[in-house]
Amino acid sequence: MSDDPIGEGPETPQTRRDARDPAFAADGAPLGDSAFPGFDADSIPPRPPLPAEPVAAEPVAVEPPVVVAPTLATADHNAIREQWRAARDEFGTHVSHARDQIDQANERIKERTGRDLVLAILIGLAFGVALLASLLFIKILFVPFALAAALLGVYELSLALRGSGRRIDLIPQFIAAGCLVLSAYFLDLWLVWVTLFLAVAYVVVWRLMAQMVAKDGRTYGDVLSDAVIGGFVQIYVPFLAAVALILLGQEGGEWWVLSFIVIAVVADTGAYAAGLAFGRHPMAPRISPKKTWEGFGGAVVGSIAAGVLLAIYLLHLPWWIGVIFGASILLSATLGDLGESMLKRDLGIKDMSSWLPGHGGLLDRLDSILPSTIPALCLYFLFSSWTVL
């Protein structure tokens, strides 16, 4: 290692600055000869700047591309519209044709049975819904239903009897009927019989006293007939409705009421359908010419089948009790229907009234239900203890 300072002596190494200086050669002499002219540092182009560091750009919301639905040509649009119109017209034609067929079938049925089938079905369904609602939810709601039916039945029967020349007093009939029906649900059974006796006596005495006041020369036979028929009105409509309320007031009685009404309706419907389809042989031509033995066979099948099903699944009774139940209601419903037909024929009328289109009057629908209350109540007391657990 030499003690000589750097840059002193003949072999001093070239500094970095001297090496970068273009005006000197390797030996320190300037480069200025003609073969190698002097290097001009200013002629060197400037150093390009370094690339700038990338800056994170803020995200830009990119809108979804708008898809332009291809537009239908005018000809295609018109073709689709024409197809739609053709399909609509064809559907309307089918509906109109079906409606004409239904109307024609309804007219044929109406000519044969005298009933408007469509209206009869609609009104029957409305009454059925009201009846089910009153029995399935709160059974006391059936009481005003039965009371209204009894009062309307009394009104219909009284008007029909008046039309035949009988003297029937409406106000006493309504008072007696209301007391008799309400007593069946709210009083003991023996008091119902007392109320029945008082109701009949009330209308009979009223009729006799009214005839005494009138002094119109009416014969004693006619006066007696008026009094007896007035008592019959109380027995035929309010008392039979009261029997239904006696059954309703028993334990589980609402299911028995519903059952006997369903069996009576099924028997009536089965007789109507079978008679319409197969009826050839009249059952009682002098009383009701349109009732046939074929219709009665349909009523037998329907009522017994309904009785068995209701006994097993609703009343929880053995099937054979259902057979007895169905046969009993069938017998009472048939006799009630024939009895009301006999009464109308005696009065010279076709229907009790025209309040229910397709049905006639209210009593024309209750003629098979009212008499069925008695066998239903008897069968309840006889078989209610046979419940299958």
Side-chain angles (χ1 to χ4, degrees), residues 1 3 13 46 48 85 93 101 140 159 179 201 207 210 237 244 253 259 290 323 340 354 362 370 379 385:
M1 184 175 185
D3 293 333
R85 288 179 179 175
T93 302
Q101 288 183 340
I140 198 175
L159 289 185
C179 294
R207 177 68 276 187
V237 183
S259 297
K290 294 180 180 179
V323 174
E340 203 239 3
S354 57
L362 182 64
L370 287 175
L379 291 175
S385 60

Side-chain angles (χ1 to χ4, degrees), residues 231-314:
F232 166 74
V233 171
Q234 288 297 308
I235 296 174
Y236 180 57
V237 183
F239 174 68
L240 293 180
V243 174
L245 292 185
I246 293 174
L247 178 58
L248 180 71
Q250 308 302 317
E251 183 180 357
E254 64 271 23
W255 308 120
W256 283 80
V257 172
L258 179 60
S259 297
F260 90 79
I261 292 177
V262 169
I263 294 173
V265 171
V266 169
D268 193 12
T269 305
Y272 181 84
L276 185 64
F278 311 107
R280 297 293 183 272
H281 304 86
M283 184 178 180
R286 296 186 60 182
I287 299 176
S288 182
K290 294 180 180 179
K291 290 181 174 58
T292 62
W293 285 107
E294 290 81 3
F296 180 73
V300 170
V301 174
S303 60
I304 292 180
V308 171
L309 293 176
L310 290 169
I312 295 175
Y313 296 106
L314 185 62

